[in-house]
Amino acid sequence: MLARAGVASRREVERLIEAGRVALNGKVLTTPAVKVEPGDILTVDGAVVTEAEPARLFRYHKPIDLVTSHKDPQGRPTVFEALPPGLPRLISVGRLDINSEGLLLLTNDGGLARALEMPTTGIVRRYRARARGRVTQEKLDTLTKGITVEGVHYGSIEATLDKAKEGPQGANLWITVVLAEGKNREVRRVLEALGLKVNRLIRLSYGPFALSTLLPGEVEEVGPRVIREQLAQHIAPQNLPKGDRPLWKKAAAVVAGPRRGAVEIDRPGKPAGRSGKPQRRARMTAPGEPPPKKEYKPGWAKPKPKPVIAKTGAPKRHSGARKTPRPGGPKRG
């Protein structure tokens, strides 16, 4: 129940109970094997756990140098400290180590997180790894049969050599890796067993969800309809979200300076225009109302009226008219 409410993952909840931080109706629990009845009051560190909301899922582009944890014993910055404000309490679907980057799924449903990260579920993860060393495609193809590294067996892995750049100390390789287990540091350990040193690791997708165009540090909520279509088999029917639009939207980025074709409006303390002088806001006129007269600053000269030139004689002919003498009369001078 605590995992479903988004308090923590099931493993973390077990540690909370062992530490004596969880109580049911005022009695501290010592085991998670307790039935919670309707109307019971469940608390963690004295705070009442509210009823779980429908399942929600977020895509997050994890940068390097962040720990996938709510709190790090070594005091290093964590993923959840870097999230923007306004999000619900979330837990991660699996982990990315501190030196890895890319797509990290976050959810408020501990049961959903467990279902997506279990190897038996068979959710496919796709990575792109940059490694140092030399390897052939034939050697990478042996990973499809599985490999055992230091007593840990890893299942079938599909690895494709994208490109290699030779150098005096070896080769810089880019390798696309596809797997369905997601064990701890699996990609790094497997490639190291082949004599490669991974120096960059990017997760491109997790199941049907891709990193796409998310920038490092950006987060985006998955819509309720997509959750129902893609993850209904992993969520209890009563916990499925309703509607079509996500509840949370990221704040729009503000671009400095006026955009081409945009109308610049006055803002307190902000000069408009290239000269740094504030611009006047144009006054809108009602239909049928004459446009306002142009105002001039003090000291400016008003435009002088154009001189009127008196016309003498016959009107001047149009430049395009034919100049032919009048029949029976003298030519005009």
Side-chain angles (χ1 to χ4, degrees):
M1 180 175 180
L2 290 175
R4 174 66 193 88
V7 172
S9 66
R10 296 193 178 194
R11 291 182 180 179
E12 292 174 342
V13 168
E14 290 176 357
R15 288 192 286 267
L16 292 176
I17 294 174
E18 292 175 358
R21 299 169 59 183
V22 181
L24 181 64
N25 297 325
K27 182 180 178 180
V28 178
L29 300 181
T30 58
T31 173
V34 177
K35 188 175 182 180
V36 181
E37 301 287 351
D40 287 345
I41 299 177
L42 190 62
T43 61
V44 177
D45 294 335
V48 178
V49 179
T50 57
E51 186 178 354
E53 63 177 351
R56 299 173 69 181
L57 188 71
F58 295 80
R59 296 185 305 118
Y60 174 63
H61 188 159
K62 176 195 172 297
I64 60 173
D65 298 331
L66 290 182
V67 181
T68 309
S69 175
H70 283 275
K71 187 176 181 181
D72 182 58
Q74 303 179 26
R76 295 171 295 182
T78 69
V79 164
F80 298 97
E81 294 171 349
L83 293 178
L87 295 174
R89 179 176 174 84
L90 300 171
I91 57 178
S92 63
V93 178
R95 293 174 180 266
L96 286 175
D97 62 55
I98 190 171
N99 294 320
S100 299
E101 57 191 299
L103 180 64
L104 181 65
L105 296 182
L106 307 172
T107 179
N108 64 336
D109 189 335
L112 175 61
R114 180 174 175 82
L116 295 180
E117 63 191 17
M118 288 291 291
T120 54
T121 309
I123 300 293
V124 174
R125 293 90 153 163
R126 184 181 298 272
Y127 298 82
R128 197 142 191 262
R130 186 181 67 189
R132 189 77 172 172
R134 289 186 174 87
V135 73
T136 61
Q137 184 60 52
E138 289 75 17
K139 195 171 184 179
L140 291 175
D141 290 341
T142 61
L143 297 177
T144 58
K145 301 178 181 179
I147 186 175
T148 300
V149 181
E150 298 179 355
V152 179
H153 180 73
Y154 300 97
S156 178
I157 298 175
E158 179 184 339
T160 304
L161 183 62
D162 295 331
K163 62 180 181 179
K165 185 178 180 180
E166 293 288 342
Q169 303 298 327
N172 281 321
L173 312 173
W174 278 103
I175 303 172
T176 298
V177 180
V178 181
L179 50 90
E181 280 188 330
K183 293 181 179 178
N184 185 31
R185 298 178 64 84
E186 181 172 352
V187 176
R188 295 180 183 272
R189 290 177 176 176
V190 167
L191 294 183
E192 285 175 1
L194 300 182
L196 302 175
K197 180 65 175 179
V198 177
N199 48 47
R200 188 177 182 187
L201 184 61
I202 309 168
R203 182 190 281 165
L204 301 179
S205 64
Y206 197 109
F209 306 104
L211 182 63
S212 188
T213 58
L214 278 181
L215 299 177
E218 283 190 339
V219 61
E220 185 176 272
E221 184 171 7
V222 177
R225 182 170 58 180
V226 177
I227 293 178
R228 294 193 301 268
E229 293 174 351
Q230 301 290 342
L231 305 175
Q233 67 273 27
H234 305 300
I235 304 173
Q238 65 273 18
N239 296 331
L240 286 172
K242 299 179 181 180
D244 294 330
R245 297 183 178 181
L247 300 178
W248 182 87
K249 291 184 179 180
K250 61 183 179 181
V254 178
V255 181
R259 295 172 296 172
R260 178 176 295 181
V263 178
E264 185 69 14
I265 60 175
D266 295 339
R267 294 182 176 88
K270 179 180 179 181
R274 297 184 178 180
S275 62
K277 298 180 180 180
Q279 292 181 343
R280 294 176 177 265
R281 183 181 299 179
R283 185 171 72 88
M284 299 182 65
T285 59
E289 181 183 349
K293 295 182 179 181
K294 188 174 182 180
E295 297 180 0
Y296 296 91
K297 293 184 178 181
W300 283 24
K302 294 184 178 181
K304 298 179 180 179
K306 295 182 179 181
V308 179
I309 302 176
K311 297 180 180 180
T312 59
K316 189 177 181 180
R317 290 180 178 272
H318 190 271
S319 59
R322 295 180 60 185
K323 298 180 181 180
T324 55
R326 296 178 63 184
K331 294 183 181 180
R332 293 190 177 183

